[in-house]
Amino acid sequence: MNILVTGGAGYVGGFAARHMQAAGHEVVVLDNLSEGHRSAAPDGTLVEGEIADGDVVRALLREREIEAVVHFAASCYVGESMSDPRSYWRNNVAGSLSLLEAMTDCRVRRMVFSSTCAVYGDTAAMPLDENAPVRPKSTYALTKHTIEQMIQDFSRAYGLCYAVLRYFNASGASADGAYGEGHVPETHLIPVVLQTLLGQRDEVRLFGDDYDTPDGTCIRDYVHVEDLAQAHERVLEQLPAEGEPRGLLYNLGSGNGSSVREVIRAVERVTGQKVPCSVAEPRPGDTARLVAASGRARHELGWTPRYETIDEVVATAWEWHRLHPSGYPD
């Protein structure tokens, strides 16, 4: 299949693009490199550009005879979305609308959308399955849910076949340490803790320690990025090129929740080093618990995460950060 991967020079997008290429698909990456890295995309696949540039997208879809779009391109920081919401509505929602319009004009009927567990917000029901109520707490989560609804409308009106993948905390790196997480600035917990051990930070700040959890810190489901990549490739096989439009929705997570303090202890076990910490005020938009029930993906896609424990995830991340303390060279 000829596949356009938007945001394919980013963290999860790069892993998914390489995975799909290894599975035999022809991959084209569209990325504006505002957050991504040239060396994170598969060699020879990168086209630098904006999803909001309809002319560029239409030309790519037609010239490369694209049959499916896997859509990662988005701004993705909860705190930033609360302080600068207009950039999130413009980049995430307006950009996705432009992409969907180009796909409709070029008769590209298949889309896989990278969504987020953050759409669920706070809820007492854990682990979360796909029927859990949607209550976004942050602008980031609200933009992602808005895009989901927009995709559903395009499916109903224009025959789009789609899959929405709500994944939990993407983590880890490739087993050989060649590819990993390289955000600037870095806000995700595991790389922040590892950067502290590498001397790049003085300490790890725990944003709140009085949540309604066993140790007072937020609980998240850390799913390995290679397992996420596998799921994207699997779900593409479920989207028909012809016939009635089809809409799929899957949660993707390990099913195991780890608190901030538990992640720090896992890092200490893996590295043999003590992590300095301090407590800070909670961040706006953060929820206390987010843990996946991913039985639907396991049953319908045959998706089985290979990395099941937080120590396994941390070990791959440590190898990447140890070998690449400055991240990607670009």
Side-chain angles (χ1 to χ4, degrees):
M1 196 183 304
N2 296 333
I3 302 171
L4 175 65
V5 181
T6 71
Y11 176 40
V12 184
F15 272 83
R18 288 190 298 274
H19 185 91
M20 287 183 281
Q21 188 181 63
H25 298 290
E26 292 293 328
V27 172
V28 180
V29 167
L30 178 63
D31 200 298
N32 66 6
L33 299 181
S34 62
E35 300 287 343
H37 305 274
R38 291 183 184 276
S39 48
D43 290 343
T45 64
L46 178 63
V47 175
E48 190 172 349
E50 302 277 352
I51 59 171
D53 190 332
D55 292 339
V56 168
V57 176
R58 287 178 182 84
L60 272 180
L61 296 177
R62 290 175 176 139
E63 292 169 8
R64 304 297 183 94
E65 299 181 345
I66 297 298
E67 300 165 82
V69 173
V70 184
H71 181 29
F72 293 97
S75 301
C76 60
Y77 296 110
V78 169
E80 181 185 62
S81 78
M82 302 297 283
S83 62
D84 185 21
R86 67 179 182 178
S87 69
Y88 276 68
W89 285 102
R90 182 187 307 111
N91 191 41
N92 294 5
V93 176
S96 295
L97 174 59
S98 181
L99 174 64
L100 284 164
E101 288 176 328
M103 291 176 62
T104 302
D105 292 346
C106 297
R107 302 183 184 277
V108 178
R109 296 186 69 246
R110 285 177 283 198
M111 169 181 266
V112 179
F113 175 55
S114 165
S115 191
T116 172
C117 64
V119 300
Y120 294 116
D122 278 325
T123 177
M126 288 290 162
L128 289 163
D129 65 23
E130 291 82 358
N131 297 317
V134 172
R135 302 187 183 106
K137 286 189 66 177
S138 67
T139 301
Y140 163 65
L142 187 56
T143 63
K144 285 287 191 175
H145 185 52
T146 300
I147 297 165
E148 290 183 7
Q149 295 174 306
M150 194 158 53
I151 290 170
Q152 292 171 19
D153 276 354
F154 271 69
S155 176
R156 175 187 51 78
Y158 309 119
L160 179 70
C161 292
Y162 69 89
V164 169
L165 303 182
R166 291 175 178 165
Y167 44 79
F168 287 61
N169 284 48
S171 309
S174 59
D176 61 3
Y179 299 97
E181 196 165 2
H183 301 114
V184 181
E186 186 58 75
T187 63
H188 294 168
L189 178 61
I190 292 175
V192 163
V193 178
L194 296 176
Q195 287 176 352
T196 303
L197 295 184
L198 291 168
Q200 297 168 353
R201 297 171 183 262
D202 293 333
E203 61 182 7
V204 176
R205 292 197 297 164
L206 282 62
F207 293 104
D209 65 347
D210 59 354
Y211 286 95
D212 184 18
T213 62
D215 65 16
T217 61
C218 292
I219 292 175
R220 296 290 183 266
D221 184 332
Y222 295 88
V223 56
H224 198 279
V225 65
E226 287 189 337
D227 290 328
L228 290 177
Q230 176 204 150
H232 285 79
E233 197 270 329
R234 290 266 177 116
V235 80
L236 275 171
E237 300 172 359
Q238 306 299 315
L239 298 181
E242 304 293 340
E244 290 297 317
R246 186 179 187 189
L248 303 173
L249 172 64
Y250 296 108
N251 285 348
L252 299 178
S254 69
N256 301 311
S258 300
S259 73
V260 174
R261 291 191 187 277
E262 287 172 334
V263 170
I264 291 171
R265 288 197 291 271
V267 169
E268 291 176 341
R269 286 193 297 270
V270 168
T271 65
Q273 301 181 52
K274 186 69 176 176
V275 178
C277 302
S278 67
V279 178
E281 290 296 314
R283 295 178 298 190
D286 272 347
T287 57
R289 301 169 183 256
L290 286 171
V291 181
S294 52
R296 181 187 291 181
R298 292 172 187 254
H299 175 70
E300 295 183 6
L301 301 179
W303 178 69
T304 303
R306 292 185 298 158
Y307 297 85
E308 296 187 343
T309 70
I310 189 63
D311 287 51
E312 290 175 301
V313 173
V314 165
T316 63
W318 175 235
E319 185 68 5
W320 155 256
H321 284 278
R322 186 181 65 81
L323 296 174
H324 305 86
S326 301
Y328 288 100
D330 55 337

